[in-house]
Amino acid sequence: MATTVLRNAAFIATMDDHDTLHRDASIRIVDGRIDAIGTADEITGHADETIDASGHILIPGLVNTHHHFYQTLTRNLPAGQNSNLFNWLVAHYPIWARMDAGSIDVSTRIAIAELMLSGCTTAADHTYIWPNDARVDDQIHAAREMGFRFHAARGSMSVGQSRGGLPPDHAVEAEEFILSDSQRVIETYHDDRAGAMTRIVLAPCSPFSVSTDLMRETAKMARHYGVHLHTHLAETLDEEHYCRELFGQTPVEYAEANDWVGDDVWFAHMVHPHETEIARLGAHRCGVAHCPSSNMRLASGVAPVKALQAAGARVGLGVDGSASNDSSHMLSEARQAMLLQRLQNGPEAMSATEALRLATRGGAEVLGRNDIGHLAVGMAADIVGYRLDSLPLAGGAVHDPLAALVFCLPPRVDLSLINGRLRVHRGQLLGVDIPQLVARHNAAATALING
């Protein structure tokens, strides 16, 4: 059995039920699982690898519950810089429809690299456009090569402009193919074991880009195979107007009517649920991916996070797409979440610890994981460390090292292990040539724009 010890950390914030904070402590890892947490004197015996964590605060790996990896190719697109969601989508769809397998591969690698360097160790990606020869397989292979824990959403769009949808007709897929490919992907890749590195999610894009039949059939398939369901919902008031006009229902009512509620479902954004709907979402134990930066960028609004939590909904954080954020920094997202709730509800509305809980345990709960999100014996060894003597934390970490990660300029991670495997060391992403990857990515982004 392979044994690794992270030795002499200044602090270990476990994010357990008691918010236990260890000082001058070490962690022993055996075969990708946490075997012990304690003082250096308590963590003894042989180790195949010893990593010096002195001067670091160690926390659970951050969990990103909503992303669109491919959108790194269209960050900062001038045509979408000052648009609301619907106009932003219309500006981007034709460009995304030119992507191919190479585009999906390189954008996935860029997004994962950026996430890992922010402290993220698990992410759910929602790709719903699969043009040319692109497949979800391309993402899964890239994530596996990079050693990243990945919930891959087989997203979909089936209603084009000729049928009243937003995407151009050439950017959508036939529903029969969507369902058959979804079955193929689940049977090929989904792993429901504890510690799984790859899980599959079924994820029609939104009520305004797929048919009601596809929503229902996707839910049936997901429950047959025991995989989770994900979609955008209640993101904007435009969406509510669309749903009322087309279906005679609000977005939440539409989800309820089509078997899209339960503890195996989570929704991205949920900015505009009605008060009575918040109670129902909580009663159903639905999950919500809160995406504060994207919601501000597109002027969509502020999600009622505290009300959703109080009602019983599971809430985590998502960076959302890299063309509506336009970055992939999970600590930054935690900071934005805290600040937005304070702006809306007062200075005591959300603490730094509560924001970090959204980014760790909250995200794990949204994804249906009980093996990640906090540090304890038996949990997967997804552990990240930040140097407390860094410039961003100067004058902050000396007072409260955990809160400094949220209140101060969000730092890059210095140390990261995923499933016990060292992925970032001394601030460097191991096994990835970042300049070469960026050059390849920029060439692909340029080619997309030029057609």
Side-chain angles (χ1 to χ4, degrees):
M1 295 187 291
T3 301
T4 300
V5 173
L6 295 172
R7 190 164 293 282
N8 298 325
F11 299 91
I12 298 174
T14 63
M15 306 305 291
D16 65 10
D17 291 340
H18 308 289
D19 288 328
T20 304
L21 183 69
H22 298 276
R23 298 171 183 266
D24 301 320
S26 301
I27 301 178
R28 182 170 62 235
I29 300 161
V30 178
D31 283 352
R33 298 287 185 121
I34 296 173
D35 182 66
I37 302 174
T39 65
D41 291 339
E42 293 169 334
I43 307 299
T44 59
H46 168 77
D48 299 293
E49 182 178 29
T50 299
I51 299 169
D52 182 14
S54 58
H56 290 71
I57 182 169
L58 305 182
I59 67 172
L62 307 180
V63 181
N64 175 25
T65 62
H66 184 67
H67 208 316
H68 305 292
F69 288 173
Y70 69 91
Q71 290 182 14
T72 60
L73 294 160
T74 52
R75 287 203 255 224
N76 189 40
L77 191 72
Q81 287 177 0
N82 305 306
S83 300
N84 64 8
L85 175 66
F86 277 21
N87 291 328
W88 177 89
L89 286 169
V90 169
H92 284 81
Y93 279 142
I95 299 169
W96 296 337
R98 301 180 190 132
M99 295 189 302
D100 57 17
S103 308
I104 293 293
D105 174 83
V106 73
S107 58
T108 295
R109 294 175 189 274
I110 282 285
I112 289 175
E114 191 173 25
L115 285 168
M116 289 171 74
L117 287 169
S118 83
C120 182
T121 56
T122 300
D125 183 67
H126 188 190
T127 295
Y128 48 78
I129 182 168
W130 301 104
N132 305 310
D133 57 346
R135 302 193 305 168
V136 70
D137 309 58
D138 304 315
Q139 292 190 305
I140 292 169
H141 294 157
R144 285 181 171 179
E145 286 186 10
M146 296 181 75
F148 191 64
R149 200 179 299 278
F150 186 39
H151 285 228
R154 203 308 179 182
S156 57
M157 297 193 298
S158 65
V159 177
Q161 290 174 344
S162 67
R163 296 173 57 197
L166 282 183
D169 287 350
H170 66 277
V172 303
E173 298 175 290
E175 296 191 354
E176 296 82 1
F177 176 75
I178 290 169
L179 291 169
S180 65
D181 195 56
S182 296
Q183 180 178 351
R184 176 192 68 83
V185 171
I186 294 169
E187 292 179 349
T188 304
Y189 296 109
H190 183 66
D191 184 354
D192 61 4
R193 295 172 296 177
M197 294 293 288
T198 306
R199 287 191 178 167
I200 301 300
V201 178
L202 297 189
C205 179
S206 63
F208 52 83
S209 57
V210 300
S211 73
T212 300
D213 283 345
L214 184 61
M215 290 289 285
R216 290 174 177 162
E217 291 303 314
T218 300
K220 288 180 184 177
M221 179 178 291
R223 287 175 176 132
H224 172 75
Y225 283 100
V227 304
H228 282 222
L229 290 161
H230 181 55
T231 193
H232 299 91
L233 204 75
E235 181 176 358
T236 68
L237 291 176
D238 286 341
E239 179 191 333
E240 175 155 343
H241 297 154
Y242 178 96
C243 288
R244 285 187 181 277
E245 182 176 339
L246 193 63
F247 309 121
Q249 299 168 311
T250 68
V252 173
E253 290 170 342
Y254 178 74
E256 289 176 308
N258 291 289
D259 299 322
W260 268 75
V261 288
D263 60 6
D264 59 350
V265 179
W266 88 97
F267 302 114
H269 301 288
M270 196 51 67
V271 176
H272 296 287
H274 295 269
E275 186 173 347
T276 56
E277 293 174 341
I278 291 173
R280 297 203 304 274
L281 290 165
H284 290 303
R285 289 290 292 155
C286 293
V288 173
H290 176 41
C291 306
S293 293
S294 176
N295 294 341
M296 287 188 284
R297 159 61 144 99
L298 298 173
S300 299
V302 182
V305 170
K306 300 298 287 187
L308 285 163
Q309 288 180 310
R314 298 165 292 124
V315 182
L317 292 182
V319 300
D320 199 18
S322 288
S324 67
N325 183 307
D326 296 40
S327 68
S328 307
H329 199 301
M330 278 293 293
L331 268 186
S332 177
E333 215 60 36
R335 185 174 194 270
Q336 297 285 35
M338 180 187 75
L339 297 179
L340 264 187
Q341 291 305 305
R342 290 177 173 215
L343 179 66
Q344 189 176 56
N345 302 305
E348 296 182 353
M350 182 174 288
S351 68
T353 300
E354 288 173 320
L356 284 172
R357 186 172 287 274
L358 285 177
T360 52
R361 292 198 73 168
E365 290 171 2
V366 166
L367 297 185
R369 306 286 303 235
N370 59 11
D371 53 352
I372 60 173
H374 68 282
L375 304 181
V377 173
M379 298 291 287
D382 291 5
I383 305 164
V384 296
Y386 300 88
R387 288 202 64 87
L388 296 175
D389 59 357
S390 65
L391 182 62
L393 302 187
V398 294
H399 303 300
D400 187 336
L402 186 62
L405 298 178
V406 180
F407 275 102
C408 301
L409 178 70
R412 279 175 51 150
V413 73
D414 189 71
L415 174 69
S416 174
L417 288 88
I418 303 177
N419 213 40
R421 179 186 173 200
L422 187 62
R423 298 304 304 123
V424 177
H425 192 216
R426 296 176 181 171
Q428 300 300 309
L429 184 56
L430 302 181
V432 179
D433 186 332
I434 296 291
Q436 184 182 62
L437 180 61
V438 169
R440 181 182 158 213
H441 182 267
N442 285 346
T446 303
L448 278 183
I449 298 299
N450 292 338

